[in-house]
């Protein structure tokens, strides 16, 4: 991508752990958010996530990338930290 076309975006071409470390440094203590099922699964496998937020909407898509299928590790215990409902949406938060 052309970096000039995205002035508020930083593109990284590094290994995943290094990219997350760079993002954490740039966030300066604020949250770093990972979007996308494949990227979240890779971060979970590498032990790079400390929280998982799931925004549940009552829609069955029928296709797409599974968020948490087998990642080839031992079971990962999650601790629920929050449940919130707004209308038909339910937000779930878990500490990894």
């Amino acid at each position: 991508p052309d970096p000039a076309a995205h002035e508020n975006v930083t593109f990284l071409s590094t290994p995943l752990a290094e990219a997350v470390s760079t993002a954490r440094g740039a966030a300066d203590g604020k949250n770093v958010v990972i979007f996308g099922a494949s990227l979240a699964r890779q971060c979970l496998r590498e032990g790079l996530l400390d929280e998982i937020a799931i925004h549940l909407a009552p829609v069955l898509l029928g296709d797409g990338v599974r968020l948490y299928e087998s990642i080839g590790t031992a079971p990962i215990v999650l601790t629920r930290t929050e449940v919130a409902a707004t209308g038909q949406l339910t937000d779930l938060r878990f500490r990894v």
Side-chain angles (χ1 to χ4, degrees), residues 4-67:
H6 305 279
E7 63 186 51
N8 295 323
V9 175
T10 300
F11 293 96
L12 301 173
S13 295
T14 61
L16 181 60
E18 187 177 331
V20 170
S21 178
T22 299
R24 285 183 171 156
D28 194 28
K30 297 178 184 172
N31 290 338
V32 172
V33 178
I34 304 295
F35 284 105
S38 178
L39 184 57
R41 188 170 47 246
Q42 291 173 61
C43 287
L44 187 60
R45 183 182 316 117
E46 297 296 319
L48 300 172
L49 295 183
D50 54 8
E51 183 180 61
I52 296 173
I54 298 173
H55 306 291
L56 182 62
V59 176
L60 298 177
L61 300 177
D63 198 9
V65 177
R66 291 182 182 181
L67 186 56

Side-chain angles (χ1 to χ4, degrees), residues 53-85:
I54 298 173
H55 306 291
L56 182 62
V59 176
L60 298 177
L61 300 177
D63 198 9
V65 177
R66 291 182 182 181
L67 186 56
Y68 299 111
E69 66 183 24
S70 174
I71 60 171
T73 67
I76 297 171
V77 177
L78 304 176
T79 302
R80 188 181 66 219
T81 59
E82 183 179 345
V83 176

